[in-house]
Amino acid sequence: MATKKEKSGVSDDAPRAPEAERSSKALRHLDETFEEWRHEPTARGSAYLGAVLLSLGGLLLGASTFAFARIAAGPWRENAWLLLAFGLVFELAFLIVGGKPDAPLRVGDLGVGRETEGKVQRVAWCDITRISLVTDGVKLETADEPILVGFEQHSSTAARVVAEAKKRIPKRVVIEDDDVAGLGKVQGGARVTAEPPQVTMAVCRATGEALTFEKDVRMCRSCGALYHRNGVPRRCSECSRKLRAA
Ligand SMILES: [Zn+2]
């Protein structure tokens, strides 16, 4: 009976039906919900020192302006050049110490993102070519500038980036297991949803065909590589995950 029922439906060798694709664990549609973790930087050491240097430098430069304008009297006016010099030294020290707080970072389905001026600039996992450990953080190499997830302000983010990358693009992570363990437990951050990626200018990783309509786009669930629904290969060309049956 069961055999009869099966035969009355779609045959086994039929082309991939949209329903089957949607239920695929390996591929996503762009109208699904994308999630990521948002990590705020942790202010420590040089960030506090930087704030002190910036404030002192500003005060001294302000005082020197008054002194030069001959608004201040007595020793202030006589030491205007000294005030200016010390003010500049403190400002220079601030620039060298680099106490500026880092931006919040995002880690999740769409790769690694940095919040810049209210927007999130992301690099997809499939566009990260190598992940390695350097003295001051975890370095993500891309076709453009490398991204540094620094330990000083983003130590928990670094642990999360490496943990996610080990699952999604393991062959591109060149960090020994002991060193991964040394990054500490994956913790912190807030779970948030992310806007689906824009497909403008994107092309199918397998065929090179332009991806014009979002409904035609399929995304590798592991690495975020985009494919045209008619060009999905058996295995992802970026992370080798099996995307569909033969
Ligand atoms: Zn992939």
Side-chain angles (χ1 to χ4, degrees):
M1 268 208 300
T3 319
K4 248 184 184 174
K5 223 174 187 180
E6 276 166 22
K7 280 189 177 169
S8 66
V10 181
S11 68
D12 287 341
D13 57 355
R16 283 154 282 139
E19 294 76 16
E21 282 183 72
R22 190 168 280 280
S23 63
S24 162
K25 285 194 172 112
L27 288 170
R28 313 186 66 145
H29 288 228
L30 294 192
D31 60 359
E32 292 178 27
T33 304
F34 295 93
E35 290 189 328
E36 56 192 2
W37 292 88
R38 181 179 187 273
H39 285 259
E40 291 269 6
T42 48
R44 305 183 197 164
S46 68
Y48 289 121
L49 179 60
V52 172
L53 289 170
L54 188 67
S55 307
L56 277 174
L59 276 173
L60 289 168
L61 288 178
S64 74
T65 309
F66 277 106
F68 278 119
R70 297 183 177 277
I71 296 168
W76 288 100
R77 193 182 295 175
E78 287 156 24
N79 294 310
W81 283 106
L82 208 58
L83 290 169
L84 177 68
F86 274 104
L88 289 174
V89 165
F90 280 117
E91 296 296 309
L92 191 65
F94 163 73
L95 291 176
I96 293 167
V97 167
K100 198 176 163 207
D102 202 348
L105 299 180
R106 309 272 192 115
V107 187
D109 293 335
L110 300 180
V112 180
R114 182 181 293 273
E115 290 183 16
T116 315
E117 293 169 2
K119 289 184 182 169
V120 185
Q121 290 187 323
R122 295 187 182 84
V123 58
W125 296 107
C126 58
D127 292 327
I128 299 173
T129 53
R130 192 170 185 268
I131 297 186
S132 59
L133 207 58
V134 290
T135 318
D136 50 352
V138 169
K139 186 179 166 192
L140 317 180
E141 288 173 47
T142 69
D144 298 319
E145 288 280 295
I147 299 163
L148 179 76
V149 182
F151 292 140
E152 189 176 335
Q153 297 188 49
H154 273 295
S155 62
S156 61
T157 323
R160 189 179 294 282
V161 167
V162 173
E164 284 285 319
K166 290 282 261 184
K167 283 188 277 178
R168 295 169 180 275
I169 46 167
K171 288 177 185 165
R172 298 183 185 182
V173 182
V174 292
I175 304 176
E176 299 292 333
D177 288 345
D178 285 352
D179 291 331
V180 173
L183 293 173
K185 247 173 83 177
V186 178
Q187 58 189 357
R191 198 155 202 173
V192 294
T193 55
E195 290 288 312
Q198 299 289 317
V199 295
T200 332
M201 307 291 286
V203 294
C204 172
R205 293 270 167 162
T207 63
E209 186 179 347
L211 299 172
T212 320
F213 300 109
E214 287 181 355
K215 65 179 176 52
D216 290 336
V217 180
R218 302 293 176 268
M219 177 192 275
C220 169
R221 193 175 289 275
S222 289
C223 73
L226 301 178
Y227 296 99
H228 189 281
R229 68 189 170 111
N230 294 329
V232 177
R234 284 187 65 190
R235 284 190 179 275
C236 178
S237 60
E238 300 294 330
C239 71
S240 304
R241 178 168 178 162
K242 193 174 177 186
L243 297 181
R244 64 174 178 84

